[in-house]
Amino acid sequence: MVVFQYDKSFEGLLCAVFEAYDKKKYPESLISQEQIVPLLTREVFAIETQTEKFLRVLTLLKNKMSVMELNRLNAVWLSEIENSDFLLFQYIKYAIDSKFEHSANFGHPVVLEIHKIAKKVSKEVHAWQQFVRFQKSKDEIYFAPVHPVYNSLPLVIPHFKDRFSSQQWILYDLKRNYGFYYDLSEVHPMVLEGSGEHLRTGFVDEEMLHPDEKLFQELWKKYHTSVSIKERINLKLQKQYMPKRYWKFLTEKQ
Amino acid sequence: MVNENLINKLATLSESAKYDVSCSSSGVTRKSKSGDIGSASGWGICHSYTEDGRCVSLLKVLLTNYCIYDCAYCINRKSNDIKRAAFSVKELVNLTLEFYKRNYIEGLFLSSGIIKNPDHTMERMVRVIKELRTIHRYNGYIHMKSIPGASKELVYQAGLYADRLSVNIEIPSEKNLKYLAPEKDHASVFTPMKYIQNGVTEYKEERKKSKSVSKFTPAGQSTQMIIGATNETDQDILRVSSVLYLQSSMRRVYYSGFIPVNPGDTRLPAIRQAPLVRENRLYQADWLMRFYQFSSEEILDDVNPNLDLEIDPKLSWALRHPEYFPVDINICDYHLLLRVPGIGVKSAKLILASRRFGLLDTYQLKKIGVSMKRAKFFMVCRDYRGLNVNSSSPEYIRSLLVKKTPRSVASNQMSLLFSE
Ligand code: SF4
């Protein structure tokens, strides 16, 4: 078995593609540098991540693929599903080798799997557009916690940047402990330091909240209960559209 | 204390508005300009769901639930002894913005009881949406109800700031409308509808000459009819809808199963459960008119003035017209493909595209998304030529297709899809 060892970055993955074609050696497994080499390994190649090689493969892909397809690959990368990196490797190889239109060939198991994973991720992206709830802080920053299954936060950002361009906000992934801060002109990746309550619970500490915040939360809760039509209660339907796992930070469900 | 007051107000004024079923915030896409508040995304986003499973996308409230009219079907009518409240323009503007900025909502759905007279009411409503758009540079979605009887000028004003306007018919026939809502008639509803239509037409004309004309209700208009409060048949109802859809700006007719909010009123039927199945069938019939090239006369006629509650209206039509079947999937035209139960718009298009490359068989049809369980009684294809509605009898086919225990129909108004 041929095994590639790389740094588990996206840049590294594309360098692995470069090396594979360069050496005419195609891996059957991709592992990280720390991982133990599997038992039946014949050859191990340590892949070095080099910007130049990464860019060459990237340019090739950009020529070969539509924006939609590239976004799909990005989503699969961010899914963090086990072995999705190897799946991407196989897909890219198939795309490079194929003379025909490849991206919609659902008869190919790798193509099908890529579509399936990308769909799961994009579903989650949509869910965050729906279910993010901002809490306004004293210093007029709107803070919202998320806890995505996939690492989908980066894909959610463009929507929020477009929609909330007149207010400062932070969207924060509590599971992966990083987030994005929008400062009224640009979005910056960030890591919150310290041990603030909000990093544990997702809810901004009382003394840091804007004096109006509690009021608007109360108003929203009130609104939410008063618009439901008692004659037609259907909790199953509600859960079907709004899965329980998103309720954790929903203001109206506190 | 001030806060308590606002919370109670919101409770009262959203409670009173919830019976308007339209909730959609779709139909416009507007990217935000930097510094503006908000954007609108084509399909609309549901931000939450109520306990009855409906999408919460807009802040749906009344400016006030005081009303000088006395419509029998309405919780806010003058003669009801209920809590009354009114928002100030500023309060409502603020509430919309604060909710919007927290990602609670896509926008505002503004309606109102009538204070003093229609124009006075409209004028205040227009002030809310004008302030949102001009002073606060708010870009989110706005749906405003036009008050029956409002003047042309105010309807035009509203159209400049709202994405969608609606005027509710409520009761399908004028006779019953007058009986239940003595202050209203059909003219008071159809006239503002016409103003909106004219506004849209004029905008399109102007737009040809200059790119800088301001938009007029980019998401068009909608209306609502209450189902089951009066004795109109489904045929009557669909006739009204089909006439309404002749106006190009009419995007949606909503059907709202009657909920007896004023149990003491003897002019109205005493029912326990809103007629959900009927409501759902009407949505399906409406869907047939808009996307399946059916006319209202085809869906229902004098012999069958009401929709079959056991089966969907398309299947019902097919069973009444065995003479059209079986159709040959590989040669029949699009129009007829759409009429085959079990074939939806999407699969009909796919069939057209794929059959150019060869004759389709059942395996391929299934792959395309055709529900063969239903379709097989109405069609033939390369490898299938079985029992059909014409060679057998409609009664027999019906008995095969009606499920023993009727599936409970979701109360959600969006569940209008046929099993394709
Ligand atoms: S005019 Fe509107 S708010 Fe007033 S009673 Fe009639 S339906 Fe209700």
Side-chain angles (χ1 to χ4, degrees):
Chain A
M1 185 159 86
V2 179
V3 169
F4 278 17
Q5 260 180 336
Y6 80 116
D7 63 1
K8 290 274 166 180
S9 71
F10 187 68
E11 289 79 0
L13 180 68
L14 294 197
C15 289
V17 173
F18 184 95
E19 296 296 344
Y21 278 87
D22 194 49
K23 298 194 167 65
K24 305 243 169 344
K25 297 274 182 197
Y26 303 103
E28 285 147 277
S29 173
L30 294 173
I31 60 173
S32 74
Q33 283 137 344
E34 298 77 38
Q35 241 164 309
I36 297 164
V37 177
L39 208 56
L40 295 171
T41 305
R42 209 161 20 89
E43 286 177 287
V44 185
F45 292 97
I47 306 297
E48 222 182 298
T49 300
Q50 289 172 317
T51 315
E52 184 208 342
K53 290 178 181 171
F54 157 68
L55 287 176
R56 272 180 64 185
V57 178
L58 189 66
T59 317
L60 177 73
L61 296 187
K62 280 185 176 160
N63 288 333
K64 192 94 189 166
M65 296 179 184
S66 67
V67 176
M68 226 164 85
E69 197 179 349
L70 287 168
N71 285 340
R72 199 177 299 135
L73 299 191
N74 189 25
V76 173
W77 175 259
L78 292 173
S79 77
E80 296 181 343
I81 289 175
E82 213 182 303
N83 278 331
S84 55
D85 58 342
F86 187 55
L87 197 68
L88 283 167
F89 184 94
Q90 291 172 293
Y91 183 90
I92 292 170
K93 181 166 184 307
Y94 172 60
I96 291 174
D97 296 346
S98 147
K99 301 224 161 22
F100 306 102
E101 158 50 40
H102 56 274
S103 67
N105 180 8
F106 297 112
H108 195 295
V110 172
V111 177
L112 189 67
E113 197 52 30
I114 289 276
H115 274 264
K116 269 195 197 151
I117 297 178
K119 188 143 193 207
K120 283 187 196 160
V121 176
S122 81
K123 248 178 132 170
E124 192 177 67
V125 169
H126 183 71
W128 290 120
Q129 294 181 0
Q130 302 177 274
F131 304 134
V132 153
R133 298 285 181 266
F134 285 115
Q135 306 153 44
K136 188 177 178 181
S137 74
K138 257 198 315 230
D139 41 8
E140 310 249 335
I141 295 176
Y142 291 76
F143 174 83
V146 295
H147 53 112
V149 174
Y150 314 114
N151 186 14
S152 58
L153 189 55
L155 302 174
V156 182
I157 298 302
H159 169 79
F160 284 93
K161 184 171 184 241
D162 179 55
R163 176 160 289 198
F164 300 108
S165 64
S166 68
Q167 70 199 55
Q168 299 180 68
W169 48 256
I170 293 172
L171 281 166
Y172 206 78
D173 184 336
L174 291 182
K175 248 164 84 178
R176 292 169 185 79
N177 193 33
Y178 84 104
F180 294 93
Y181 165 55
Y182 172 71
D183 66 0
L184 292 178
S185 68
E186 266 170 84
V187 178
H188 309 277
M190 66 161 343
V191 174
L192 286 172
E193 307 288 347
S195 56
E197 195 52 5
H198 53 284
L199 286 180
R200 219 168 41 76
T201 62
F203 297 103
V204 176
D205 304 1
E206 294 260 348
E207 67 270 21
M208 280 166 69
L209 279 181
H210 191 275
D212 282 348
E213 179 55 26
K214 277 270 164 285
L215 170 65
F216 287 106
Q217 290 185 8
E218 281 315 307
L219 282 163
W220 174 242
K221 277 191 221 173
K222 194 72 182 182
Y223 177 72
H224 193 264
T225 43
S226 59
V227 289
S228 114
I229 296 182
K230 315 280 170 304
E231 293 87 339
R232 288 183 160 203
I233 295 288
N234 188 343
L235 296 175
K236 230 178 91 197
L237 199 63
Q238 182 190 32
K239 265 186 224 140
Q240 182 188 323
Y241 288 127
M242 190 163 73
K244 264 253 160 107
R245 77 178 170 94
Y246 295 105
W247 289 20
K248 203 163 153 197
F249 303 130
L250 280 180
T251 313
E252 61 269 35
K253 285 289 166 199
Q254 299 314 315
Chain B
M1 222 44 240
V2 178
N3 294 355
E4 275 304 303
N5 197 350
L6 191 60
I7 293 176
N8 289 336
K9 238 187 223 186
L10 177 65
T12 307
L13 293 169
S14 52
E15 182 84 33
S16 290
K18 70 182 175 188
Y19 295 100
D20 202 305
V21 292
S22 97
C23 78
S24 129
S25 58
S26 59
V28 272
T29 303
R30 197 169 30 231
K31 287 258 167 189
S32 149
K33 282 176 248 120
S34 138
D36 285 5
I37 299 170
S39 60
S41 48
W43 298 106
I45 296 173
C46 287
H47 286 276
S48 192
Y49 289 87
T50 58
E51 291 194 334
D52 51 298
R54 279 172 316 136
C55 155
V56 180
S57 151
L58 303 172
L59 169 61
K60 195 190 294 189
V61 284
L62 302 182
L63 189 58
T64 174
N65 67 341
Y66 286 103
C67 191
I68 55 169
Y69 286 8
D70 206 34
C71 309
Y73 46 81
C74 176
I75 185 115
N76 304 316
R77 61 180 182 175
K78 182 173 66 182
S79 55
N80 275 7
D81 179 22
I82 53 163
K83 250 203 246 155
R84 306 279 174 177
F87 280 123
S88 72
V89 171
K90 194 165 155 235
E91 275 171 339
L92 193 47
V93 166
N94 202 21
L95 199 57
T96 308
L97 293 173
E98 295 290 342
F99 274 16
Y100 193 89
K101 287 176 154 186
R102 286 168 175 75
N103 204 41
Y104 297 166
I105 53 169
E106 284 295 284
L108 173 67
F109 181 133
L110 180 57
S111 176
S112 184
I114 302 176
I115 26 173
K116 277 204 193 128
N117 57 55
D119 272 358
H120 177 83
T121 314
M122 265 300 261
E123 200 264 328
R124 283 177 63 88
M125 294 168 84
V126 170
R127 257 171 56 203
V128 173
I129 67 173
K130 183 175 178 180
E131 271 192 25
L132 277 171
R133 288 278 195 243
T134 56
I135 298 178
H136 299 281
R137 297 165 63 194
Y138 162 83
N139 261 323
Y141 194 83
I142 295 179
H143 179 158
M144 193 181 116
K145 254 165 82 174
S146 180
I147 301 294
S151 74
K152 190 169 163 185
E153 275 60 47
L154 285 165
V155 175
Y156 268 50
Q157 282 270 314
L160 293 178
Y161 307 114
D163 290 300
R164 170 169 286 177
L165 288 177
S166 60
V167 198
N168 283 356
I169 300 179
E170 306 291 15
I171 304 298
S173 78
E174 178 157 41
K175 190 175 114 254
N176 283 334
L177 177 67
K178 280 182 158 163
Y179 177 55
L180 295 177
E183 292 96 346
K184 290 182 184 167
D185 55 23
H186 267 179
S188 68
V189 177
F190 292 130
T191 316
M193 276 184 184
K194 216 168 286 154
Y195 295 150
I196 299 168
Q197 175 63 43
N198 291 346
V200 170
T201 319
E202 268 168 42
Y203 162 73
K204 285 195 177 136
E205 283 302 310
E206 291 296 313
R207 175 75 205 198
K208 279 182 204 151
K209 291 177 222 149
S210 143
K211 285 250 179 275
S212 64
V213 270
S214 36
K215 285 226 163 79
F216 192 90
T217 60
Q221 58 176 321
S222 65
T223 188
Q224 163 177 306
M225 281 186 268
I226 300 174
I227 303 312
T230 43
N231 61 5
E232 289 89 358
T233 61
D234 292 338
Q235 187 190 17
D236 299 328
I237 293 164
L238 289 182
R239 257 194 212 137
V240 175
S241 304
S242 69
V243 171
L244 290 170
Y245 282 131
L246 292 177
Q247 308 178 76
S248 62
S249 61
M250 183 58 69
R251 300 290 169 82
R252 283 298 297 273
V253 176
Y254 289 93
Y255 307 92
S256 165
F258 173 61
I259 297 169
V261 287
N262 300 323
D265 199 313
T266 52
R267 287 172 293 176
L268 291 164
I271 54 166
R272 261 219 229 108
Q273 248 270 332
L276 296 184
V277 181
R278 185 176 175 203
E279 182 186 298
N280 194 52
R281 294 283 177 240
L282 278 164
Y283 278 116
Q284 291 177 325
D286 185 275
W287 198 259
L288 289 182
M289 296 198 291
R290 288 188 297 144
F291 303 113
Y292 284 73
Q293 310 180 359
F294 275 84
S295 68
S296 66
E297 292 85 26
E298 286 177 304
I299 299 169
L300 293 170
D301 50 41
D302 295 340
V303 187
N304 308 282
N306 283 305
L307 294 165
D308 193 326
L309 295 183
E310 277 182 347
I311 54 175
D312 74 65
K314 188 169 145 187
L315 180 57
S316 168
W317 177 86
L319 291 175
R320 274 182 281 128
H321 294 279
E323 70 277 11
Y324 285 92
F325 301 104
V327 302
D328 187 334
I329 295 294
N330 286 301
I331 49 178
C332 77
D333 65 9
Y334 180 65
H335 178 77
L336 213 51
L337 269 182
L338 282 181
R339 305 229 152 189
V340 179
I343 296 184
V345 172
K346 211 169 127 202
S347 22
K349 290 200 169 131
L350 277 172
I351 289 172
L352 284 190
S354 344
R355 73 186 183 190
R356 285 178 298 165
F357 301 106
L359 297 180
L360 301 175
D361 58 25
T362 39
Y363 174 77
Q364 287 165 308
L365 289 177
K366 274 189 201 149
K367 278 255 143 185
I368 280 172
V370 174
S371 153
M372 288 301 289
K373 234 172 54 205
R374 300 151 75 77
K376 66 178 181 199
F377 302 116
F378 304 91
M379 51 154 274
V380 296
C381 65
R382 203 185 70 192
D383 64 340
Y384 183 81
R385 201 168 282 279
L387 178 75
N388 71 57
V389 66
N390 206 6
S391 64
S392 162
S393 78
E395 293 72 31
Y396 179 61
I397 302 296
R398 182 190 165 104
S399 73
L400 293 179
L401 286 174
V402 171
K403 298 183 185 73
K404 299 279 166 332
T405 40
R407 211 160 25 101
S408 76
V409 179
S411 63
N412 184 301
Q413 48 165 314
M414 289 305 173
S415 61
L416 356 139
L417 300 172
F418 298 95
S419 37
E420 283 182 15

